[in-house]
Amino acid sequence: MQKKLKVLIGDNTPNFGLLCQDLLTRRGMEVILTPKDGGMVLEAIREQAPDIAVMESFMAKMDAISVLKSLNQSLQPKPKIIVISGYDNKFIEGEIMQNGASYYMLKPFELESLCDRIRSVCSNGEIIAPININGADEATDDLETIVTEVILHVGIPAHIKGYHYIREAILLSVDNTEMINSVTKLLYPTIAKRFNTTSSRVERAIRHAIEIAWDRGDVDTLNAYFGYTINTGRGKPTNSEFIAMISDKLRLKLKNRKGSAAHF
């Protein structure tokens, strides 16, 4: 029987914490809420031993960096940590990530994006089941949801433009193989039209998103998806390679949906 994911949210306010609790509970997770207080968050982590904790970068009594440093000094296993913030500060983000956070998520974001990120971060540690595309799990039965989880899984943050462009590119390429065969003449212009931008901006944003994944993403996860690229020392895949590898794998799995529990 699959283990139920235990999530601690360092916020018990109606406009965030309670909404998160409702959504995550409906997704089959066990949710613990604490006030937005670093000391109470740290105490709850030690007492409740969650699989993952979500906290603000700035809280009463202790900020996220202080909580992380305290956890690093503890003998007990540390949960995965997602830190959310309304400040796009590279220095703070760097300190948080260096002290062991799994992800730094900028506001504003949709609660669904946070839920997807929690699943992605925890799936790297095999706490939850892998993405299932044979229709057995209603939450991941939709193609758009599957693609979203894959993108988050490789480490592309949901708040950047390239995330949305890559997501659209994979969806288009799964449905139409001609898209990936004509990236500059067909794929980029189609995405640009949908997002009211230019092809060159689409290309640059996708490239930037891939660079972020390679700089900050989980090495094991990237190796699982793009092993030949890393192992041969070729560095990051090109935009078209990245999109093609994911869309081709996904298309193949979708063709075998009626087979035995295929997963991506």
Side-chain angles (χ1 to χ4, degrees), residues 36-81:
K36 198 185 299 183
D37 179 304
M40 297 182 73
V41 169
L42 179 60
E43 182 180 358
I45 289 174
R46 288 172 173 167
E47 291 181 353
Q48 301 292 335
D51 298 306
I52 184 166
V54 179
M55 69 186 76
E56 288 269 2
S57 55
F58 297 103
M59 300 175 286
K61 295 185 181 178
M62 297 177 72
D63 59 16
I65 295 175
S66 297
V67 172
L68 286 164
K69 287 181 176 179
S70 295
L71 290 172
N72 289 337
Q73 295 171 0
S74 175
L75 295 178
Q76 70 183 82
K78 185 174 69 175
K80 304 283 187 180
I81 303 291

Side-chain angles (χ1 to χ4, degrees), residues 38-258:
M40 297 182 73
V41 169
L42 179 60
E43 182 180 358
I45 289 174
R46 288 172 173 167
E47 291 181 353
Q48 301 292 335
D51 298 306
I52 184 166
V54 179
M55 69 186 76
E56 288 269 2
S57 55
F58 297 103
M59 300 175 286
K61 295 185 181 178
M62 297 177 72
D63 59 16
I65 295 175
S66 297
V67 172
L68 286 164
K69 287 181 176 179
S70 295
L71 290 172
N72 289 337
Q73 295 171 0
S74 175
L75 295 178
Q76 70 183 82
K78 185 174 69 175
K80 304 283 187 180
I81 303 291
I82 292 178
V83 177
I84 59 177
S85 177
Y87 303 94
D88 187 7
N89 186 302
K90 297 300 181 185
F91 175 77
I92 294 175
E93 179 181 356
E95 283 286 299
I96 286 172
M97 297 305 292
Q98 287 174 17
N99 278 283
S102 299
Y103 194 70
Y104 185 81
M105 194 165 188
L106 283 175
K107 298 178 180 178
F109 52 78
E110 298 291 334
L111 291 184
E112 289 285 352
S113 296
L114 176 60
C115 183
D116 290 336
R117 175 51 61 181
I118 289 171
R119 287 174 57 88
S120 175
V121 167
C122 289
S123 66
N124 289 342
E126 298 183 353
I127 293 172
I128 60 175
I131 299 169
N132 184 350
I133 64 170
N134 69 345
D137 185 351
E138 187 175 319
T140 58
D141 192 36
D142 178 70
L143 177 59
E144 292 188 14
T145 303
I146 297 169
V147 172
T148 297
E149 292 217 15
V150 170
I151 298 171
L152 290 172
H153 201 184
V154 299
I156 297 176
H159 65 274
I160 63 173
K161 290 182 179 179
Y163 164 90
H164 300 285
Y165 298 161
I166 287 176
R167 182 173 176 273
E168 189 70 19
I170 293 171
L171 288 169
L172 289 169
S173 299
V174 168
D175 290 335
N176 183 0
T177 56
E178 286 302 312
M179 287 288 182
I180 201 63
N181 294 328
S182 185
V183 173
T184 56
K185 292 184 179 180
L186 185 58
L187 184 61
Y188 291 162
T190 301
I191 297 171
K193 185 176 181 180
R194 294 190 180 185
F195 287 89
N196 193 29
T197 185
T198 65
S199 294
S200 60
R201 288 177 178 173
V202 169
E203 189 276 331
R204 287 197 301 270
I206 290 177
R207 168 54 29 195
H208 175 62
I210 294 172
E211 289 173 351
I212 289 177
W214 249 252
D215 290 340
R216 306 182 189 178
D218 181 81
V219 174
D220 291 336
T221 300
L222 292 171
N223 190 61
Y225 288 124
F226 309 99
Y228 84 91
T229 301
I230 296 175
N231 292 338
T232 59
R234 291 184 55 219
K236 308 174 186 71
T238 64
N239 290 6
S240 58
E241 285 176 333
F242 185 95
I243 296 165
M245 280 187 280
I246 293 179
S247 59
D248 286 348
K249 280 188 176 183
L250 190 54
R251 191 184 304 110
L252 178 62
K253 293 297 184 182
L254 289 172
K255 286 182 180 179
N256 296 324
R257 290 180 74 129
K258 295 182 181 180

